[in-house]
Amino acid sequence: SAYDIVVDNCDALIEDVCLLNASYGIQHINAGYGRLRCNRITGQPLIVGIDIEESYDAGFINNTHFWIYWSNDSGVRTYMLHNAKAMQLYRWDDGVCDGNFAIGYAFTYWLGQNTAGAPNKLTITNSFGDEGGYFVFIDSSCTTANTINLTNSRAVAQTSGPLIGCSNVQI
C-alpha cells in the first residue's frame, strides 16, 4: 500500500503520530465492524492525510493538525492546494471528526462513494480549514442518502492564487 499506516479489519487506536514527508498518511480498509480512533495526528501529508474506505461502526478522528511541518516550499504548497485531501471519506457509519485543522489543502473533508458506500451519519464539529480550497466537498459519486452534521466549524478559502472563489461547502 502507498499509505504509511494501514488498518485492515480490526479496531485500532493511533495516537500522537507525526506524519513527515508522507504522500499518504493513514488508511482504514476492509473494516467490517472494526473502529478506528485517530487522536492528535500531525504532519503534512501531500496527497491524502486520513482515508476511510469502509467502516460500519462509529470511529473518531480528533485533534489532527495538518500544517507545513515538512516543507513550506512554494511548489509543495501549490501542489497541495491543487491536489491534497486532509480527510478522504467513503463508507463510514456514525463517524465523528472533532477539533481537526488543515492549512493549504485543496479539500479539508472530501466525501465520496465507493463500492461499500458513502459516509452515513457523519458528524464534523470544531474543525477548521485555512488557506485552502473546499472545507467540505461532497463528490458527485455520492448517490446514496447520507446525513452530515456540520457544527461550530470555520473555513477560510483562498483570497489569492489558483483557487479563488472555492466554496467552503460544495455539494
Short mmCIF file of all heavy atoms in Angstrom, two decimals, residues 112-139:
data_model
loop_
_atom_site.label_atom_id
_atom_site.label_comp_id
_atom_site.label_asym_id
_atom_site.label_seq_id
_atom_site.Cartn_x
_atom_site.Cartn_y
_atom_site.Cartn_z
N GLY A 112 -16.80 10.91 -0.70
CA GLY A 112 -17.10 10.22 -1.94
C GLY A 112 -17.79 8.90 -1.68
O GLY A 112 -18.06 8.53 -0.54
N GLN A 113 -18.09 8.18 -2.73
CA GLN A 113 -18.74 6.88 -2.62
C GLN A 113 -17.90 5.85 -3.36
O GLN A 113 -17.45 6.10 -4.48
CB GLN A 113 -20.14 6.93 -3.21
CG GLN A 113 -20.90 5.63 -3.06
CD GLN A 113 -22.36 5.78 -3.43
OE1 GLN A 113 -22.95 6.85 -3.26
NE2 GLN A 113 -22.97 4.72 -3.91
N ASN A 114 -17.69 4.70 -2.73
CA ASN A 114 -17.03 3.57 -3.38
C ASN A 114 -17.99 2.38 -3.40
O ASN A 114 -19.18 2.56 -3.12
CB ASN A 114 -15.70 3.23 -2.70
CG ASN A 114 -15.86 2.85 -1.24
OD1 ASN A 114 -16.97 2.55 -0.76
ND2 ASN A 114 -14.76 2.85 -0.51
N THR A 115 -17.52 1.19 -3.69
CA THR A 115 -18.42 0.03 -3.78
C THR A 115 -19.06 -0.30 -2.44
O THR A 115 -20.13 -0.91 -2.40
CB THR A 115 -17.68 -1.21 -4.31
OG1 THR A 115 -16.54 -1.46 -3.47
CG2 THR A 115 -17.21 -0.97 -5.74
N ALA A 116 -18.45 0.09 -1.33
CA ALA A 116 -19.02 -0.16 0.00
C ALA A 116 -20.08 0.88 0.38
O ALA A 116 -20.92 0.64 1.22
CB ALA A 116 -17.92 -0.19 1.06
N GLY A 117 -20.02 2.06 -0.23
CA GLY A 117 -21.00 3.11 0.07
C GLY A 117 -20.34 4.46 0.31
O GLY A 117 -19.19 4.69 -0.06
N ALA A 118 -21.10 5.33 0.96
CA ALA A 118 -20.68 6.71 1.23
C ALA A 118 -20.77 6.97 2.73
O ALA A 118 -21.37 6.19 3.47
CB ALA A 118 -21.59 7.67 0.47
N PRO A 119 -20.19 8.08 3.21
CA PRO A 119 -20.33 8.42 4.62
C PRO A 119 -21.81 8.52 5.01
O PRO A 119 -22.62 9.03 4.24
CB PRO A 119 -19.65 9.79 4.75
CG PRO A 119 -18.71 9.84 3.60
CD PRO A 119 -19.38 9.08 2.50
N ASN A 120 -22.13 8.00 6.18
CA ASN A 120 -23.51 7.97 6.65
C ASN A 120 -23.55 8.40 8.11
O ASN A 120 -22.85 7.83 8.94
CB ASN A 120 -24.08 6.55 6.50
CG ASN A 120 -25.53 6.47 6.86
OD1 ASN A 120 -26.28 7.41 6.64
ND2 ASN A 120 -25.93 5.36 7.42
N LYS A 121 -24.33 9.44 8.40
CA LYS A 121 -24.45 9.98 9.76
C LYS A 121 -23.10 10.47 10.28
O LYS A 121 -22.67 10.16 11.37
CB LYS A 121 -25.07 8.96 10.71
CG LYS A 121 -26.50 8.61 10.33
CD LYS A 121 -27.08 7.57 11.27
CE LYS A 121 -26.71 6.22 10.71
NZ LYS A 121 -27.16 5.11 11.48
N LEU A 122 -22.44 11.27 9.46
CA LEU A 122 -21.13 11.83 9.79
C LEU A 122 -21.32 13.11 10.59
O LEU A 122 -22.17 13.94 10.28
CB LEU A 122 -20.37 12.14 8.49
CG LEU A 122 -19.02 12.83 8.61
CD1 LEU A 122 -18.02 11.92 9.31
CD2 LEU A 122 -18.51 13.21 7.22
N THR A 123 -20.50 13.28 11.62
CA THR A 123 -20.51 14.49 12.43
C THR A 123 -19.15 15.18 12.33
O THR A 123 -18.12 14.55 12.58
CB THR A 123 -20.81 14.17 13.91
OG1 THR A 123 -22.10 13.57 14.00
CG2 THR A 123 -20.78 15.43 14.76
N ILE A 124 -19.17 16.46 11.95
CA ILE A 124 -17.95 17.27 11.88
C ILE A 124 -18.19 18.47 12.79
O ILE A 124 -19.11 19.25 12.57
CB ILE A 124 -17.66 17.74 10.45
CG1 ILE A 124 -17.43 16.55 9.51
CG2 ILE A 124 -16.47 18.69 10.43
CD1 ILE A 124 -17.34 16.93 8.04
N THR A 125 -17.36 18.59 13.84
CA THR A 125 -17.50 19.70 14.78
C THR A 125 -16.14 20.33 15.07
O THR A 125 -15.11 19.67 14.97
CB THR A 125 -18.12 19.24 16.12
OG1 THR A 125 -17.31 18.19 16.67
CG2 THR A 125 -19.53 18.74 15.94
N ASN A 126 -16.18 21.58 15.46
CA ASN A 126 -15.00 22.29 15.95
C ASN A 126 -13.79 22.12 15.04
O ASN A 126 -12.67 21.99 15.51
CB ASN A 126 -14.65 21.81 17.37
CG ASN A 126 -15.81 21.95 18.31
OD1 ASN A 126 -16.46 22.98 18.35
ND2 ASN A 126 -16.12 20.89 19.03
N SER A 127 -14.00 22.11 13.74
CA SER A 127 -12.92 21.89 12.79
C SER A 127 -12.66 23.15 11.97
O SER A 127 -13.56 23.97 11.81
CB SER A 127 -13.27 20.73 11.86
OG SER A 127 -13.32 19.52 12.58
N PHE A 128 -11.44 23.26 11.44
CA PHE A 128 -11.03 24.47 10.76
C PHE A 128 -10.22 24.16 9.52
O PHE A 128 -9.32 23.32 9.55
CB PHE A 128 -10.20 25.36 11.70
CG PHE A 128 -10.86 25.60 13.02
CD1 PHE A 128 -10.51 24.86 14.13
CD2 PHE A 128 -11.88 26.53 13.13
CE1 PHE A 128 -11.15 25.06 15.35
CE2 PHE A 128 -12.52 26.74 14.34
CZ PHE A 128 -12.15 26.00 15.45
N GLY A 129 -10.54 24.83 8.42
CA GLY A 129 -9.75 24.76 7.20
C GLY A 129 -9.28 26.17 6.89
O GLY A 129 -10.06 27.12 6.95
N ASP A 130 -8.01 26.31 6.58
CA ASP A 130 -7.45 27.64 6.38
C ASP A 130 -6.62 27.66 5.10
O ASP A 130 -5.90 26.71 4.80
CB ASP A 130 -6.56 27.99 7.58
CG ASP A 130 -6.30 29.48 7.69
OD1 ASP A 130 -6.80 30.26 6.85
OD2 ASP A 130 -5.57 29.88 8.62
N GLU A 131 -6.74 28.76 4.35
CA GLU A 131 -5.99 28.99 3.13
C GLU A 131 -6.05 27.80 2.17
O GLU A 131 -5.07 27.43 1.55
CB GLU A 131 -4.53 29.31 3.45
CG GLU A 131 -4.34 30.61 4.18
CD GLU A 131 -2.88 30.93 4.42
OE1 GLU A 131 -2.01 30.39 3.69
OE2 GLU A 131 -2.59 31.69 5.34
N GLY A 132 -7.22 27.20 2.09
CA GLY A 132 -7.37 26.04 1.23
C GLY A 132 -8.46 26.24 0.20
O GLY A 132 -8.93 27.35 -0.02
N GLY A 133 -8.86 25.14 -0.40
CA GLY A 133 -9.91 25.17 -1.39
C GLY A 133 -11.27 24.98 -0.74
O GLY A 133 -11.89 25.93 -0.27
N TYR A 134 -11.71 23.74 -0.66
CA TYR A 134 -13.03 23.40 -0.13
C TYR A 134 -12.91 22.85 1.29
O TYR A 134 -12.06 22.00 1.56
CB TYR A 134 -13.71 22.36 -1.01
CG TYR A 134 -13.93 22.83 -2.42
CD1 TYR A 134 -13.05 22.50 -3.43
CD2 TYR A 134 -15.03 23.63 -2.74
CE1 TYR A 134 -13.25 22.93 -4.73
CE2 TYR A 134 -15.23 24.08 -4.04
CZ TYR A 134 -14.33 23.73 -5.02
OH TYR A 134 -14.53 24.16 -6.30
N PHE A 135 -13.77 23.31 2.17
CA PHE A 135 -13.78 22.77 3.53
C PHE A 135 -14.47 21.40 3.53
O PHE A 135 -13.91 20.41 3.95
CB PHE A 135 -14.47 23.75 4.48
CG PHE A 135 -14.49 23.28 5.90
CD1 PHE A 135 -13.30 23.12 6.60
CD2 PHE A 135 -15.67 22.99 6.54
CE1 PHE A 135 -13.29 22.67 7.91
CE2 PHE A 135 -15.69 22.55 7.84
CZ PHE A 135 -14.50 22.39 8.54
N VAL A 136 -15.72 21.35 3.07
CA VAL A 136 -16.44 20.08 2.90
C VAL A 136 -16.83 19.99 1.43
O VAL A 136 -17.51 20.87 0.92
CB VAL A 136 -17.70 20.00 3.78
CG1 VAL A 136 -18.49 18.72 3.49
CG2 VAL A 136 -17.33 20.06 5.26
N PHE A 137 -16.39 18.94 0.78
CA PHE A 137 -16.69 18.73 -0.63
C PHE A 137 -17.34 17.36 -0.78
O PHE A 137 -16.74 16.34 -0.44
CB PHE A 137 -15.41 18.78 -1.47
CG PHE A 137 -15.65 18.67 -2.95
CD1 PHE A 137 -15.85 19.81 -3.71
CD2 PHE A 137 -15.67 17.43 -3.57
CE1 PHE A 137 -16.06 19.72 -5.08
CE2 PHE A 137 -15.88 17.34 -4.94
CZ PHE A 137 -16.08 18.47 -5.70
N ILE A 138 -18.59 17.35 -1.25
CA ILE A 138 -19.28 16.08 -1.48
C ILE A 138 -19.21 15.80 -2.97
O ILE A 138 -19.81 16.50 -3.78
CB ILE A 138 -20.73 16.13 -0.98
CG1 ILE A 138 -20.74 16.46 0.52
CG2 ILE A 138 -21.44 14.80 -1.25
CD1 ILE A 138 -22.12 16.67 1.10
N ASP A 139 -18.45 14.77 -3.32
CA ASP A 139 -18.20 14.42 -4.71
C ASP A 139 -19.48 13.93 -5.39
O ASP A 139 -20.38 13.39 -4.74
CB ASP A 139 -17.13 13.33 -4.77
CG ASP A 139 -16.66 13.07 -6.17
OD1 ASP A 139 -15.92 13.90 -6.70
OD2 ASP A 139 -17.04 12.02 -6.73
#
